[in-house]
Amino acid sequence: MGAKYELRGNVAVITLDNPPVNGLGYDTRREFAAGIDRAMADAAVVGAVVTGAGKAFSGGADIKEFGSVKAGAEPNLLSLIKMVEDAPKPVVAAIHSVCMGGGLELALGCHYRLAAPGTSVALPEVKLGLVPGAGGTQRLPRVLGLETALNMIVSGEPVKAEMLAALPGQKLFDALETGDLLAAACKLAAEKAGQPLPRVRDLKVTHPNADGYFGFARNTVRAMSKNFPAPLKCIDAVEASVKRRFDDGLAYEREIFLALMLTPECKALRHAFFGERAASKIPDVPEDTPQRKIEKVAVIGAGTMGGGISMNFLNAGIPVVLLEMKQEALDRGVATIRKNYEAQVKKGKLKQDKLDARMALLSTTLNYADIAQADMVIEAVFEEMGVKEKVFKTLDEVMKPGAILASNTSTLDVNKIAAFTKRPQDVIGTHFFSPANVMKLLEVVRGEKTAKDVLATVMALGKKIRKTAVVSGVCDGFIGNRMIEQYSRQAGFLLEEGCTPEQVDKAIEKWGMAMGPFRMGDLAGNDIGWAIRKRRYQEKPAMRYSKTADLLCELGRYGQKTQMGWYDYQAGKRDAIPSKAVVEMIEKHRAELGIKPRKIGDEEIVHRLVYALVNEAAKILEEGIASKASDIDMVYLTGYGFPLFRGGPMCYADQQGLFNVVHRMKQFAANPHDDASFWQPAPLLAKLAAEGKSFT
Ligand code: NAI
């Protein structure tokens, strides 16, 4: 796997060949360099063409090598580009399909570039918290002009070759080639043989008001990229293309690249990037596990979740049959789905014909016989074991053999649900998050008896409906909600000790969480947690928790839906207004407990909340409920509004150092108003901290 060398007449064709996207890994770079040397040394060769095999010119750096010694080993990308740029014979890039990151930087080192229409062109490094590191910030402005290049570099978004080729004065492409790309590139190389060779580095970047433009760009980007240093650094690097000599600009870009590499934000982004890919890999389920065909889905229950779940499949072009107990419930469910799509049409996010096409894929029924032939059925009925039992027993009777039977339960035991059927191997949990058509996270709950091909099928389906699917074992709350319970418990202790809900929410929101625990409770409905606590503390009466949340529910303050919860709400609005009544309720309870309030700082609030997540996560990892730490981070990044720039709770704990995490937990344990047992470090956490290791 590397690069192929062949002759076409008197032109050498060097083809990057490292599937799937010709990533510029070590072997590829080495063979590519050998190809260039060979072409330049062979007196019979007049020029060279560089292209990519299969589905890409090149997608850039080989992500498999990221962070390894091989990534920077010579010949590195900078050396390759220099070889090409300094080559004495013309080198033509024949660009097609995908030309991104290092792939584009390599093409920019070539003397000429031909592109096939439809090629996606990008420098996406900013998405990993970096700037392009092999001359992209210096060469792209030289061929596309300052503004277009800066937009591409700061956004990282792909642009189609034909759009770029149409820009007046652009020098990125010598031509757009609609015919035989390779033949045209070989012809060009032969024609240019012996002529002076143009080099991008020799071009000048001009702009009528560069300083004004950079000022404007910095203001805009600063406002949009709070918490992420890379976008502003992209501007610094591009500015060097205007103000410095080429080699100085290149050195400056390198300096910025290396400094960014060490930032926590870059580490977090890379962790999330790899975490997303790693989530679909399950240790004991090989990637070539055969999958079942899912061409038709049934959803049972057209309530809050059933409707949103259905939309995912309709969006992906998969027909859905929705089943309910009563016609009114069906009508209501279908109307809500339609209303959601109509809102998207109004916002210009969806075309009317797409809305019609999606609604045409939806059918409804009150009769189980009508769903019997579905390849998969997802149950989203009331959260009561008795109701689930009835539904799954019926499904077992009616569904065709091999159909996947999924439950959207958020708290119930999937193994018990599976045991209601005679085919527990076909039963699985698909825990969607509300609103199910919007939230990225899908917890795929693997029952004791869930078959591997069922798991593989559901994971692939998750990708098809554009979710981040993460496997969880069976336990109360699965990964996400089991952790959030400890976070909420800790939030309750903070109230007892002296905080207001607003103070807690503000501290953790300033730290980066999308929503603090109390605003979140008001949004989800405080009564849900209340019901769970009633069950939980009957089972575990010794587990201490703050009664404030129960007192709140006793006042009927369920949250936004009752226009009062931890905060007050005005009709039709979602703004959380601090509530005097709640503060008095908390103060009264605190006095009853005999606690003298103290002022708690933001740092303590944040660490008590986040380490509560981390400690429970360590247990989840140790029990094998999650198979890797990055899975837990993906759950929190995609389902719970955990800040991306912190990489997830495990990544954050690692960055703090587990020794320091445990040390802080010991301090919390010494607080008489907290719960010492709460802060007993999970055995895995204690072990890793003692060994100086990390989760990830
Ligand atoms: P919901 O109350 O909005 O909807 C449930 C629907 O199921 C109702 O329309 C009801 O008529 C129908 N239904 C009840 N029994 C039925 C039966 N035997 N046959 C056919 N239809 C029946 O409830 P929601 O919120 O949609 O929850 C559904 C499931 O999703 C529950 O298991 C819940 O725990 C879970 N879940 C809920 C989340 C949420 O935020 N609401 C998040 C994740 C999971």
Side-chain angles (χ1 to χ4, degrees):
M1 234 62 85
K4 286 184 298 202
Y5 184 94
E6 65 188 319
L7 286 181
R8 280 212 176 191
N10 53 2
V11 173
V13 176
I14 304 167
T15 306
L16 301 165
D17 188 10
N18 181 17
V21 292
N22 304 322
L24 298 164
Y26 175 66
D27 291 335
T28 307
R29 297 197 303 272
R30 213 167 31 90
E31 288 177 26
F32 179 87
I36 292 289
D37 277 342
R38 186 168 159 193
M40 296 307 135
D42 185 343
V45 169
V46 299
V49 166
V50 178
T51 192
K55 289 187 295 188
F57 173 78
S58 171
D62 192 338
I63 59 167
K64 292 191 287 289
E65 271 183 14
F66 243 81
S68 75
V69 192
K70 274 187 167 181
E74 290 282 12
N76 63 27
L77 185 54
L78 283 163
S79 306
L80 289 192
I81 295 170
K82 187 165 161 39
M83 275 179 90
V84 170
E85 199 167 53
D86 292 347
K89 300 173 189 174
V91 181
V92 179
I95 301 167
H96 65 89
S97 316
V98 171
C99 178
M100 293 192 183
L104 178 55
E105 291 176 304
L106 181 62
L108 285 166
C110 295
H111 304 117
Y112 301 97
R113 285 162 297 279
L114 296 184
T119 305
S120 283
V121 181
L123 287 175
E125 287 79 356
V126 72
K127 295 189 174 180
L128 293 181
L130 293 167
V131 298
T137 64
Q138 303 307 299
R139 289 192 182 86
L140 199 64
R142 284 177 157 79
V143 294
L144 284 182
L146 181 55
E147 299 196 13
T148 306
L150 188 68
N151 275 328
M152 285 181 69
I153 292 168
V154 168
S155 73
E157 288 299 315
V159 184
K160 288 287 175 217
E162 45 273 50
M163 277 186 63
L164 295 172
L167 295 172
Q170 69 82 24
K171 297 190 178 72
L172 175 57
F173 301 127
D174 294 281
L176 213 53
E177 179 54 56
T178 47
D180 184 336
L181 178 68
L182 201 53
C186 290
K187 184 161 167 271
L188 184 65
E191 276 170 17
K192 297 293 181 185
Q195 296 186 24
L197 298 173
R199 302 188 305 173
V200 172
R201 58 182 289 143
D202 298 331
L203 300 171
K204 285 267 162 307
V205 193
T206 55
H207 191 280
N209 178 15
D211 283 333
Y213 179 68
F214 283 120
F216 157 77
R218 283 200 171 90
N219 285 339
T220 316
V221 168
R222 192 176 294 120
M224 283 167 54
S225 63
K226 231 175 52 176
N227 302 319
F228 292 97
L232 276 174
K233 290 290 177 190
C234 287
I235 302 181
D236 293 352
V238 169
E239 190 174 29
S241 75
V242 182
K243 299 193 171 164
R244 300 190 188 200
R245 289 188 5 229
F246 179 82
D247 285 325
D248 294 343
L250 205 59
Y252 184 55
E253 176 198 83
R254 195 73 201 154
E255 198 182 296
I256 295 177
F257 177 88
L258 293 173
L260 281 173
M261 200 72 167
L262 299 175
T263 59
E265 294 83 1
C266 176
K267 287 181 188 160
L269 285 168
R270 282 184 285 145
H271 174 69
F273 178 83
F274 289 109
E276 173 92 36
R277 278 152 190 77
S280 61
K281 298 190 172 69
I282 308 159
D284 64 330
V285 181
E287 281 186 48
D288 57 357
T289 302
Q291 292 176 15
R292 301 189 189 179
K293 230 174 35 203
I294 307 292
E295 289 171 347
K296 190 174 176 187
V297 168
V299 175
I300 306 188
T304 311
M305 295 306 288
I309 292 170
S310 302
M311 288 177 74
N312 288 299
F313 294 99
L314 301 175
N315 297 350
I318 301 172
V320 175
V321 192
L322 198 49
L323 183 145
E324 260 287 353
M325 293 184 296
K326 294 208 177 100
Q327 189 60 41
E328 299 96 83
L330 274 181
D331 294 343
R332 225 179 308 124
V334 172
T336 307
I337 293 176
R338 179 175 284 282
K339 211 176 76 199
N340 280 335
Y341 280 137
E342 278 168 354
Q344 290 179 21
V345 172
K346 253 195 207 144
K347 286 187 203 148
K349 287 185 181 163
L350 187 75
K351 295 251 164 64
Q352 181 66 36
D353 59 337
K354 282 253 168 75
L355 178 154
D356 297 335
R358 289 179 190 182
M359 289 308 288
L361 290 173
L362 179 66
S363 57
T364 59
T365 184
L366 299 171
N367 189 345
Y368 274 88
D370 294 334
I371 66 166
Q373 293 308 313
D375 301 306
M376 176 170 178
V377 49
I378 301 175
E379 162 279 308
V381 302
F382 301 137
E383 186 75 342
E384 284 167 36
M385 202 46 123
V387 185
K388 307 277 188 203
E389 175 172 3
K390 244 189 238 155
V391 169
F392 273 82
K393 284 193 164 150
T394 313
L395 290 176
D396 195 22
E397 277 163 28
V398 303
M399 296 307 293
K400 71 175 182 187
I404 294 178
L405 314 182
S407 171
N408 187 51
T409 180
S410 42
T411 53
L412 300 175
D413 183 339
V414 173
N415 292 329
K416 258 192 206 156
I417 294 177
F420 295 138
T421 72
K422 290 187 276 309
R423 37 175 138 171
Q425 73 281 0
D426 295 340
V427 177
I428 193 164
T430 48
H431 184 210
F432 287 84
F433 286 70
S434 183
N437 54 316
V438 177
M439 294 296 288
K440 282 281 290 173
L441 177 61
L442 173 63
E443 276 183 332
V444 175
V445 185
R446 178 180 192 174
E448 248 163 41
K449 298 197 173 146
T450 305
K452 288 186 181 177
D453 66 331
V454 168
L455 190 60
T457 304
V458 172
M459 291 303 283
L461 189 65
K463 201 172 265 177
K464 193 159 183 193
I465 61 172
R466 314 180 93 174
K467 297 289 178 197
T468 300
V470 177
V471 178
S472 169
V474 176
C475 67
D476 203 334
F478 313 127
I479 296 174
N481 285 342
R482 176 168 155 185
M483 285 164 63
I484 211 76
E485 196 180 324
Q486 300 310 321
Y487 173 90
S488 303
R489 250 181 98 199
Q490 195 49 234
F493 293 146
L494 283 165
L495 295 186
E496 285 186 351
E497 275 189 73
C499 289
T500 62
E502 191 194 9
Q503 191 196 348
V504 174
D505 284 350
K506 279 216 167 123
I508 194 82
E509 286 167 13
K510 201 167 105 205
W511 181 81
M513 288 294 281
M515 218 183 252
F518 298 108
R519 284 215 296 139
M520 195 176 69
D522 278 359
L523 180 67
N526 296 310
D527 50 322
I528 297 179
W530 195 24
I532 294 175
R533 280 193 303 278
K534 283 179 189 160
R535 176 162 57 87
R536 174 85 72 255
Y537 296 99
Q538 260 172 15
E539 290 163 9
K540 298 182 188 167
M543 190 149 110
R544 197 164 86 71
Y545 73 100
S546 164
K547 302 285 185 298
T548 44
D550 296 350
L551 297 173
L552 185 84
C553 289
E554 283 166 20
L555 297 173
R557 301 189 71 109
Y558 292 170
Q560 288 188 16
K561 59 185 167 190
T562 53
Q563 279 183 36
M564 53 178 195
W566 293 107
Y567 297 90
D568 292 331
Y569 297 88
Q570 288 170 341
K573 290 196 180 160
R574 288 173 177 272
D575 308 273
I577 305 161
S579 160
K580 218 173 131 225
V582 169
V583 171
E584 282 170 8
M585 178 202 87
I586 295 168
E587 282 170 356
K588 183 164 169 267
H589 181 60
R590 200 182 284 144
E592 282 164 7
L593 294 173
I595 299 175
K596 211 168 127 237
R598 76 177 167 101
K599 191 166 166 15
I600 302 179
D602 284 3
E603 183 276 342
E604 181 177 341
I605 294 174
V606 166
H607 281 140
R608 280 172 65 172
L609 293 178
V610 177
Y611 293 168
L613 291 175
V614 170
N615 203 30
E616 193 64 23
K619 295 176 192 168
I620 284 173
L621 200 55
E622 192 163 28
E623 289 167 26
I625 297 295
S627 65
K628 44 196 168 315
S630 64
D631 280 0
I632 295 172
D633 284 339
M634 291 322 293
V635 165
Y636 266 74
L637 291 175
T638 59
Y640 291 82
F642 201 94
L644 177 60
F645 67 96
R646 300 201 189 271
M650 308 307 260
C651 178
Y652 178 72
D654 280 348
Q655 295 213 17
Q656 297 296 300
L658 298 188
F659 177 86
N660 297 318
V661 172
V662 169
H663 180 69
R664 196 81 181 94
M665 284 168 58
K666 281 184 191 153
Q667 292 173 335
F668 296 150
N671 171 0
H673 300 305
D674 205 322
D675 181 348
S677 67
F678 187 105
W679 291 116
Q680 182 67 38
L684 176 68
L685 174 57
K687 181 169 168 283
L688 292 173
E691 291 171 356
K693 291 189 179 151
S694 66
F695 285 124
T696 56

